[in-house]
């Protein structure tokens, strides 16, 4: 089992640019989560998908952030335009069944916005 | 409101010494409980979890945790710490929804 795969592992961009982060969940998992980790705020849930459908995006900071899950094996988190305060580590996690199973995390994408 | 408290931000122990990391939660019922470890530059790796049953849970890398309902605690222990255990440890609670509640983490430093 390859685990949750995220790309890129590191991203450095300039303010105003579009950034796309990618995630491949564990095969067979029905739920996918995007988290953001910062020193100030710790781990924050941004959005949660179940069976490819966004269920809760209340954690998405603002309209500059969007997420999609076009199929069961792929999700993207896009920031447009990016700002320096978006610099953080972004994690993707997946689980077989919400409420009864563990969330498994990917290695994260470290985003730096200059 | 539901919350998870890890009162120790930093802990330093000598290699070979025992370790206990504290975790307290605030929740009306018994939630699902987890400990994750994050090594520098890495994602979160599950150490162990408690869903029900035996309140002493064994995990990977020689870690264990004990659920104490009366104290709303789920402390992580290891009898003998190795230098490779230096990392940040997160306690998390799943109150039966998809929204894990994470503690702020405890950073462990191991002295040779």
């Amino acid at each position: 089992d390859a685990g949750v795969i995220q790309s890129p592992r590191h991203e450095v961009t300039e303010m105003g640019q579009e950034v796309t982060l990618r995630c491949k969940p564990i095969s067979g998992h029905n739920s996918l989560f995007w988290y953001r980790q910062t020193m100030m705020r710790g781990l924050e849930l941004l959005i949660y998908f179940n069976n490819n459908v966004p269920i809760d995006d209340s954690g998405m900071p603002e309209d500059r952030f969007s997420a999609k899950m076009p199929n069961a094996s792929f999700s993207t988190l896009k920031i447009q335009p990016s700002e320096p305060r978006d610099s953080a580590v972004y994690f993707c996690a997946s689980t077989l069944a919400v409420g009864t199973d563990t969330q498994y995390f990917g290695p994260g994408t470290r985003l730096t916005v200059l | 409101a539901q919350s998870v408290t890890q009162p120790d931000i930093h802990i330093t122990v000598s290699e070979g010494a025992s370790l206990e990391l504290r975790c307290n939660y605030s929740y009306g019922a018994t939630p699902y409980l987890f400990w994750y470890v994050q090594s520098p530059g890495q994602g979160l790796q599950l150490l162990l979890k408690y869903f029900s049953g035996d309140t002493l849970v064994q995990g990977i890398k020689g870690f264990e945790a004990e659920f104490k309902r009366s104290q709303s605690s789920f402390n992580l222990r290891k009898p003998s710490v190795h230098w490779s255990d230096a990392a940040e440890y997160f306690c998390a609670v799943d109150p039966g929804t998809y929204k894990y509640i994470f503690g702020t983490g405890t950073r462990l430093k191991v002295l040779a």
Side-chain angles (χ1 to χ4, degrees):
Chain A
D1 189 343
V4 176
I5 299 172
Q6 291 187 248
S7 65
R9 292 294 309 276
H10 301 274
E11 177 79 38
V12 180
T13 191
E14 292 189 346
M15 183 174 63
Q17 296 299 305
E18 177 181 296
V19 175
T20 299
L21 311 182
R22 296 172 176 80
C23 174
K24 177 179 169 56
I26 293 173
S27 178
H29 281 193
N30 299 321
S31 298
L32 183 139
F33 309 81
W34 282 100
Y35 289 87
R36 178 171 67 176
Q37 184 182 39
T38 61
M39 290 291 293
M40 293 299 296
R41 301 174 67 92
L43 272 160
E44 304 173 273
L45 177 65
L46 299 177
I47 188 169
Y48 153 58
F49 290 88
N50 190 47
N51 292 323
N52 313 335
V53 177
I55 304 299
D56 182 354
D57 65 356
S58 60
M60 297 285 262
E62 47 199 275
D63 292 345
R64 297 184 297 106
F65 285 70
S66 63
K68 294 182 180 179
M69 193 165 186
N71 57 62
S73 59
F74 184 65
S75 177
T76 59
L77 177 67
K78 185 178 293 186
I79 308 173
Q80 166 63 19
S82 58
E83 296 182 3
R85 60 193 169 119
D86 302 330
S87 298
V89 181
Y90 291 82
F91 289 105
C92 177
S94 70
T95 186
L96 182 62
V98 162
T100 61
D101 196 20
T102 305
Q103 291 185 22
Y104 294 91
F105 284 76
T109 295
R110 181 173 294 277
L111 173 65
T112 302
V113 183
L114 303 174
Chain B
Q2 300 158 358
S3 64
V4 176
T5 301
Q6 293 181 246
D8 304 304
I9 298 174
H10 298 278
I11 282 187
T12 300
V13 299
S14 297
E15 190 170 19
S18 63
L19 173 70
E20 182 169 29
L21 303 182
R22 295 182 291 167
C23 173
N24 292 93
Y25 65 90
S26 172
Y27 181 63
T30 299
Y32 300 144
L33 298 159
F34 306 84
W35 275 100
Y36 287 86
V37 60
Q38 184 179 25
S39 298
Q42 302 297 313
L44 278 71
Q45 180 183 20
L46 179 70
L47 281 177
L48 47 79
K49 61 187 177 184
Y50 174 78
F51 280 8
S52 65
D54 192 345
T55 57
L56 185 62
V57 181
Q58 301 298 319
I60 62 171
K61 304 184 179 186
F63 284 92
E64 66 177 27
E66 185 171 13
F67 168 59
K68 292 187 177 180
R69 185 191 310 271
S70 61
Q71 299 176 17
S72 296
S73 69
F74 189 56
N75 294 348
L76 182 72
R77 301 192 294 249
K78 185 169 185 177
S80 178
V81 171
H82 188 263
W83 64 266
S84 61
D85 294 325
E88 189 156 20
Y89 292 79
F90 292 91
C91 180
V93 162
D94 177 3
T97 69
Y98 52 86
K99 282 191 172 181
Y100 278 23
I101 303 167
F102 284 90
T104 50
T106 297
R107 188 172 297 276
L108 173 66
K109 182 177 180 179
V110 180
L111 301 176

